[in-house]
């Protein structure tokens, strides 16, 4: 078994020209939002999605390989450019081409409920009693969302929550289940997920 792991390690070392972490990805997004500010675009919304420990390997356009380091992260950035709503995808291995959206529903929703979303974060999974049984699902327990928003007028929102917090996936029910699932931040995330699912196949690496 050790020889198999060693062979995999050698294979990755030979063919993966880069292994990038979350800090690298955050740097890419930071540079891109700076480029938006130069065009006087100061309002944007992003969704960061990841499952801790999940690693992805990609073959890039030049034939080289790239692997996420430790955990694979995806970020979807939403903004308005004039009257046109746009989205851009980023991950550990770089940027994807920018796509136009058919409507501005996501950004409109965020603009309407931004103060509510800032003031009402997702609550942690809370059991009815102090003791808790084993989880029925460990996969979802490792997955999280980060919602970040800036409106160009000083408002900054940065909310992190675990997908486990919006479930009843333990032997004891989650006291905060109904509350969490009634939040506008969860409605926003569902809207983004629906759009991302519809256009995911259209993204191409730059």
């Amino acid at each position: 078994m050790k020889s198999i792991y060693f062979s995999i390690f050698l294979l990755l070392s030979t063919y993966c020209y880069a292994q990038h972490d979350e800090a690298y990805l955050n740097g890419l997004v930071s540079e891109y939002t700076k480029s938006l500010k130069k065009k006087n675009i100061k309002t944007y919304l992003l969704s960061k999605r990841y499952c801790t420990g999940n690693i992805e390997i990609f073959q890039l356009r030049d034939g080289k390989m790239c692997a996420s380091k430790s955990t694979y992260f995806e970020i979807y950035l939403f903004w308005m450019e004039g009257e046109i709503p746009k989205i851009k995808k980023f991950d550990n291995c770089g940027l994807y081409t920018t796509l136009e959206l058919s409507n501005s529903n996501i950004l409109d929703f965020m603009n309407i409920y931004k103060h509510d979303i800032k003031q009402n974060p997702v609550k942690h999974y809370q059991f009815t009693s102090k003791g808790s049984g084993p989880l029925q699902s460990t996969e979802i327990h490792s997955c999280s969302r980060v919602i970040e928003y800036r409106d160009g007028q000083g408002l900054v929102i940065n909310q992190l929550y675990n997908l486990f917090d919006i479930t009843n996936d333990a032997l004891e029910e989650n006291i905060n289940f109904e509350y969490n699932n009634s939040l506008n931040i969860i409605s926003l995330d569902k809207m983004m997920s629906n759009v991302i699912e519809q256009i995911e196949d259209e993204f191409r690496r730059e």
Side-chain angles (χ1 to χ4, degrees), residues 157-173:
I157 299 173
N158 198 313
Q159 303 277 18
L160 164 67
Y161 64 94
N162 193 299
L163 296 188
F164 178 64
D165 297 330
I166 60 174
T167 71
N168 270 320
D169 279 356
L171 293 184
E172 289 191 33
E173 291 186 356

Side-chain angles (χ1 to χ4, degrees), residues 53-70:
N54 180 44
I55 296 175
E56 298 283 348
I57 301 174
F58 300 95
Q59 183 172 20
L60 305 182
R61 293 173 63 182
D62 60 5
K64 295 181 179 179
M65 305 298 289
C66 176
S68 57
K69 186 177 182 181
S70 179

Side-chain angles (χ1 to χ4, degrees), residues 1-16 57:
M1 183 63 70
K2 288 184 179 179
S3 61
I4 294 176
Y5 288 138
F6 183 69
S7 297
I8 294 173
F9 174 77
L10 285 179
L11 181 64
L12 293 179
S13 299
T14 302
Y15 292 103
C16 291
I57 301 174

Side-chain angles (χ1 to χ4, degrees), residues 45-50 72 74-78 86-90 96 99-103 106 145-147 161 188-204:
L45 167 69
L46 71 79
S47 173
K48 179 185 289 185
R49 296 154 177 249
Y50 64 95
Y72 176 66
E74 292 176 308
I75 290 180
Y76 297 88
L77 181 68
F78 299 80
K86 295 189 175 183
I87 181 174
K88 193 172 191 69
K89 179 180 176 179
F90 306 76
Y96 291 74
L99 301 178
E100 294 183 4
L101 298 176
S102 59
N103 60 68
I106 290 172
R145 293 281 195 270
V146 176
I147 306 294
Y161 64 94
L188 175 68
D189 185 60
K190 289 178 180 178
M191 292 175 66
M192 291 191 287
S193 294
N194 288 337
V195 168
I196 290 168
E197 183 179 356
Q198 291 171 14
I199 65 174
E200 185 67 55
D201 291 342
E202 298 179 34
F203 286 112
R204 297 292 182 270

Side-chain angles (χ1 to χ4, degrees), residues 19-63:
Q19 288 182 298
H20 296 308
D21 58 11
E22 183 180 11
Y24 172 82
L25 175 59
N26 289 341
L28 291 179
V29 176
S30 178
E31 287 301 312
Y32 194 81
T33 54
K34 287 178 182 178
S35 72
L36 293 180
K37 289 178 182 178
K38 290 180 180 179
K39 295 191 287 187
N40 203 34
I41 300 171
K42 301 177 181 178
T43 299
Y44 63 84
L45 167 69
L46 71 79
S47 173
K48 179 185 289 185
R49 296 154 177 249
Y50 64 95
C51 296
T52 303
N54 180 44
I55 296 175
E56 298 283 348
I57 301 174
F58 300 95
Q59 183 172 20
L60 305 182
R61 293 173 63 182
D62 60 5

Side-chain angles (χ1 to χ4, degrees), residues 41-184:
I41 300 171
K42 301 177 181 178
T43 299
Y44 63 84
L45 167 69
L46 71 79
S47 173
K48 179 185 289 185
R49 296 154 177 249
Y50 64 95
C51 296
T52 303
N54 180 44
I55 296 175
E56 298 283 348
I57 301 174
F58 300 95
Q59 183 172 20
L60 305 182
R61 293 173 63 182
D62 60 5
K64 295 181 179 179
M65 305 298 289
C66 176
S68 57
K69 186 177 182 181
S70 179
T71 295
Y72 176 66
F73 295 87
E74 292 176 308
I75 290 180
Y76 297 88
L77 181 68
F78 299 80
W79 75 96
M80 293 291 296
E81 195 155 339
E83 299 297 319
I84 302 174
K86 295 189 175 183
I87 181 174
K88 193 172 191 69
K89 179 180 176 179
F90 306 76
D91 67 11
N92 303 58
C93 294
L95 292 73
Y96 291 74
T97 52
T98 301
L99 301 178
E100 294 183 4
L101 298 176
S102 59
N103 60 68
S104 59
N105 292 348
I106 290 172
L107 290 165
D108 292 342
F109 184 93
M110 185 68 206
N111 185 52
I112 293 171
Y113 296 108
K114 57 188 177 184
H115 296 293
D116 177 81
I117 289 173
K118 182 176 179 65
Q119 296 168 8
N120 295 285
V122 174
K123 294 182 179 180
H124 293 303
Y125 198 117
Q126 184 177 345
F127 300 99
T128 54
S129 63
K130 292 183 178 180
S132 61
L135 304 181
Q136 294 177 349
S137 171
T138 57
E139 181 178 356
I140 195 170
H141 187 54
S142 68
C143 297
S144 298
R145 293 281 195 270
V146 176
I147 306 294
E148 182 180 328
Y149 177 76
R150 297 174 186 268
D151 70 352
Q153 300 177 354
L155 178 66
V156 177
I157 299 173
N158 198 313
Q159 303 277 18
L160 164 67
Y161 64 94
N162 193 299
L163 296 188
F164 178 64
D165 297 330
I166 60 174
T167 71
N168 270 320
D169 279 356
L171 293 184
E172 289 191 33
E173 291 186 356
N174 178 8
I175 292 176
N176 295 320
F177 175 76
E178 290 187 6
Y179 170 82
N180 284 341
N181 282 278
S182 70
L183 294 174
N184 281 316

